[in-house]
Amino acid sequence: MKKINAEQILWRPNKKSSVPLYQQIFQFVCNNVSRGQWPVGTKLPSQRSLSKLFEVNRSTITTAIEELTSYGIISGKSGAGTEVISNTWSLFLPTTTDWNKFIATGFFHENNNIIQEINRLEFEPDLIRLGTGEIDPSLFPQEMWQKVLNRLGTKVMSLGYLEPLGLLELREALADHLNAEGLNVDADNILITSGSLQALQLISAALLQRGSTVYTEAPSYLKSLQLFQSMGMELSGIPMDNEGIQYWKLPRVTNKFNNILYTIPTNQNPTGITMSMERRRSLLDFCIENRLPIIEDGAYQELCYDDGQPKTLKSWDKNDMVIYLGTASKTLAPGLRIGWIVASKPIVQRLGDVKMQMDYGASSVSQWVLTEFMNSGLYDEYLEELIRKLRNRRDRAVRSLSKYMSDIATWNVPTGGFYIWLTFKSKIKIEQFFEQAVKEKVLLNPGDIYDFKHSRSLRLSFAYITEDEFERSIKKLRRIYDK
Ligand code: PMP
């Protein structure tokens, strides 16, 4: 059952407004309930802590609570026991279908509280997003975008459904691009997806089964998703060192249940670690020996700032062991919702068939846009510039950390991607730290989201905010830490 602590509530009533305070509080609770943020069963903070939090008289809170009770939204009990018992939406329905029962029984797990809160707070205008896995909107290639759209305006004659594997022109452009990076694929080895997140959904729906174990780095981006667990699969976190996953620590692998290994070898999310060449080779050998297929997530493969791109596992894969995932989200634009799966033809066909059942294809507009970006050479030109800018941001970020954090935390210096994994030297109450930071207008991604155990780390991203914003927020974090 969800419990809301007073510190988690960032909203405050507006004392200058002509709307009475109790009504503002009433509306605030209704909004949270009807948006599903406080589902039925959620326990609210006590009246005493609410009056302290909102800096209003206890009687104002009592009036708001009475009003909410009379609408049947919360239980009438006072004190810490007050809880949400219904939502306004179902009250207004002519027949009272118990939708809450439906909501509680759907097989997809809900995101954990902090992730839900981050997803909401990312759209609050004045918060600095210190952990966001996205490039800064100010780096968006506006002029190139205009050129691409102008050309497409005359080129694209219709926007019908596309063939199951996706737009042929895009698959051909991607095959050229990937072959230049050392893979050996043709357009029939590629399936276009609606982002790599969908690629993971397709794999779990079509290739895995209830009881399958997905081995992955600990920590991992995958841990932040409920996807595999919702489908009845186990996630098993395997420790890393600075060369990547320590695959020899895997429990004895049997492949009774279609187990699989998921890895982000290049610029891993969230640690920023890039797997060494030696580790890549020996991991592949280990997986071949144990018949353990690999999902290689190459989301950050193109974003290497120091030594060029390392070879992908897929480029060494002579045994069709590896399913490679790519995406346009981390370089160009997540809003395109375009990703790709590279695998053997039977796998691509099977996943393509499932995709047709799910959404009948990714957006054809987005597929044309990416094709034009690639074929015109604008994508490569843009990427070169992006890498230069992100390298500068990385360098400044590391300098800011050295200035403010070196006595209290450790971190890695990533050779690419977006992330720096910062670990505090001593124990820290990360949830409180998160809430404190939000109050100071800094939004964090706590390590717990990604790790398999309690974490004293933060995923910092230097990609979404400017060098100065990064430095200012690190300075604020230091102040909060010292309080
Ligand atoms: N894989 C990794 C490693 C990621 O970091 C992300 C985005 N955070 C994704 C996949 C999902 O990306 P997409 O927008 O393509 O669904």
Side-chain angles (χ1 to χ4, degrees):
M1 195 154 294
K2 191 164 169 169
K3 185 168 186 308
I4 305 294
N5 295 320
E7 310 86 71
Q8 282 175 277
I9 299 177
L10 306 170
W11 176 87
R12 298 289 180 272
N14 178 357
K15 298 208 171 135
K16 293 196 187 120
S17 161
S18 58
V19 180
L21 289 169
Y22 85 90
Q23 249 175 36
Q24 292 184 41
I25 295 167
F26 170 82
Q27 202 51 53
F28 166 70
V29 175
C30 285
N31 289 346
N32 277 294
V33 172
S34 64
R35 279 199 226 115
Q37 260 140 14
W38 294 357
V40 169
T42 302
K43 290 225 181 305
L44 301 188
S46 66
Q47 295 196 16
R48 192 165 49 83
S49 51
L50 285 175
S51 81
K52 203 165 138 217
L53 181 75
F54 295 153
E55 294 173 351
V56 296
N57 290 334
R58 184 77 181 264
S59 59
T60 307
I61 300 289
T62 313
T63 313
I65 296 282
E66 278 169 7
E67 190 88 349
L68 288 159
T69 311
S70 74
Y71 276 84
I73 297 165
I74 61 169
S75 69
K77 285 176 277 168
S78 61
T82 312
E83 73 179 52
V84 176
I85 53 169
S86 184
N87 60 43
T88 47
W89 166 48
S90 64
L91 283 175
F92 290 124
L93 290 173
T95 54
T96 50
T97 305
D98 189 1
W99 283 109
N100 302 311
K101 219 170 82 198
F102 286 72
I103 290 169
T105 48
F107 81 91
F108 239 83
H109 297 183
E110 63 171 353
N111 273 322
N112 84 19
N113 288 350
I114 293 264
I115 296 181
Q116 289 192 27
E117 209 168 329
I118 292 173
N119 289 345
R120 186 174 58 80
L121 289 171
E122 281 186 340
F123 293 90
E124 297 258 321
D126 53 350
L127 277 182
I128 295 189
R129 293 160 59 171
L130 187 57
T132 293
E134 191 178 333
I135 24 179
D136 184 345
S138 75
L139 302 180
F140 184 68
Q142 186 74 42
E143 277 176 26
M144 290 183 178
W145 180 255
Q146 267 168 16
K147 270 190 207 159
V148 164
L149 288 193
N150 276 341
R151 285 184 205 156
L152 288 179
T154 50
K155 210 180 238 178
V156 176
M157 293 308 191
S158 75
L159 282 174
Y161 292 120
L162 296 169
E163 59 183 297
L165 297 189
L167 185 70
L168 178 62
E169 286 85 341
L170 176 56
R171 288 185 291 118
E172 284 171 345
L174 282 168
D176 287 347
H177 195 76
L178 292 165
N179 288 336
E181 288 172 9
L183 274 85
N184 182 17
V185 289
D186 60 40
D188 291 347
N189 295 111
I190 298 175
L191 166 66
I192 305 300
T193 59
S194 305
S196 332
L197 208 44
Q198 189 188 43
L200 294 173
Q201 286 166 1
L202 293 171
I203 291 168
S204 59
L207 305 180
L208 305 182
Q209 61 187 96
R210 221 160 232 296
S212 296
T213 301
V214 181
Y215 300 104
T216 187
E217 287 116 2
S220 171
Y221 160 70
L222 206 58
K223 182 65 185 17
S224 70
L225 308 174
Q226 292 299 326
L227 174 70
F228 288 103
Q229 295 96 318
S230 295
M231 305 284 258
M233 289 141 211
E234 298 276 320
L235 262 199
S236 169
I238 310 300
M240 303 173 84
D241 58 21
N242 58 12
E243 292 195 51
I245 190 166
Q246 296 174 307
Y247 60 83
W248 57 91
K249 295 192 173 162
L250 251 81
R252 241 185 89 71
V253 179
T254 57
N255 231 339
K256 191 165 144 212
F257 288 113
N258 295 358
N259 301 330
I260 203 158
L261 181 125
Y262 168 90
T263 175
I264 311 164
T266 307
N267 305 315
Q268 202 244 8
N269 179 2
T271 62
I273 291 173
T274 288
M275 199 184 286
S276 68
M277 280 302 143
E278 242 178 86
R279 186 68 55 84
R280 284 173 198 243
R281 278 192 173 283
S282 53
L283 172 66
L284 201 57
D285 288 345
F286 172 87
C287 289
I288 292 169
E289 215 166 281
N290 289 281
R291 292 169 195 252
L292 182 64
I294 301 173
I295 305 170
E296 176 181 19
D297 190 334
Y300 304 90
Q301 173 68 21
E302 293 187 300
L303 294 168
C304 294
Y305 311 144
D306 297 333
D307 308 318
Q309 287 185 43
K311 268 173 95 75
T312 55
L313 297 167
K314 184 73 189 152
S315 61
W316 277 313
D317 176 30
K318 302 268 182 297
N319 307 59
D320 284 339
M321 289 291 290
V322 182
I323 299 176
Y324 181 82
L325 312 184
T327 176
S329 293
K330 303 299 163 179
T331 49
L332 189 55
L336 285 175
R337 304 310 301 133
I338 293 295
W340 46 95
I341 296 176
V342 183
S344 65
K345 287 176 191 163
I347 291 193
V348 158
Q349 291 290 336
R350 166 83 173 119
L351 297 176
D353 179 59
V354 174
K355 180 163 167 62
M356 289 305 271
Q357 298 175 48
M358 281 187 180
D359 68 0
Y360 224 75
S363 152
S364 28
V365 177
S366 295
Q367 294 187 62
W368 276 115
V369 167
L370 186 57
T371 309
E372 188 59 35
F373 254 101
M374 295 199 129
N375 287 343
S376 60
L378 289 173
Y379 182 79
D380 287 336
E381 197 184 310
Y382 156 73
L383 195 62
E384 207 179 301
E385 187 60 11
L386 179 70
I387 286 175
R388 197 184 57 74
K389 288 178 180 153
L390 290 179
R391 184 191 297 123
N392 286 341
R393 287 189 183 208
R394 188 263 326 256
D395 292 345
R396 265 286 302 277
V398 171
R399 284 207 294 278
S400 304
L401 289 172
S402 305
K403 196 160 152 196
Y404 294 105
M405 292 285 178
S406 48
D407 55 330
I408 57 167
T410 57
W411 58 89
N412 62 312
V413 178
T415 54
F418 295 173
Y419 309 114
I420 297 177
W421 185 246
L422 175 130
T423 304
F424 289 103
K425 290 180 182 168
S426 49
K427 267 197 192 145
I428 165 167
K429 288 194 175 144
I430 213 86
E431 281 206 10
Q432 267 177 22
F433 198 70
F434 172 85
E435 301 298 345
Q436 248 349 92
V438 170
K439 280 192 192 138
E440 302 276 337
K441 302 289 176 208
V442 178
L443 182 59
L444 297 175
N445 286 42
D448 277 3
I449 303 171
Y450 311 98
D451 219 336
F452 289 75
K453 55 181 181 358
H454 179 65
S455 160
R456 57 172 84 156
S457 303
L458 298 174
R459 182 186 86 172
L460 305 177
S461 163
F462 49 84
Y464 192 78
I465 52 177
T466 64
E467 289 91 331
D468 288 343
E469 283 171 328
F470 190 94
E471 173 140 346
R472 262 187 281 131
S473 8
I474 293 297
K475 198 171 159 189
K476 277 188 184 171
L477 291 194
R478 179 64 206 237
R479 263 212 325 267
I480 297 170
Y481 182 93
D482 286 338
K483 260 189 202 164

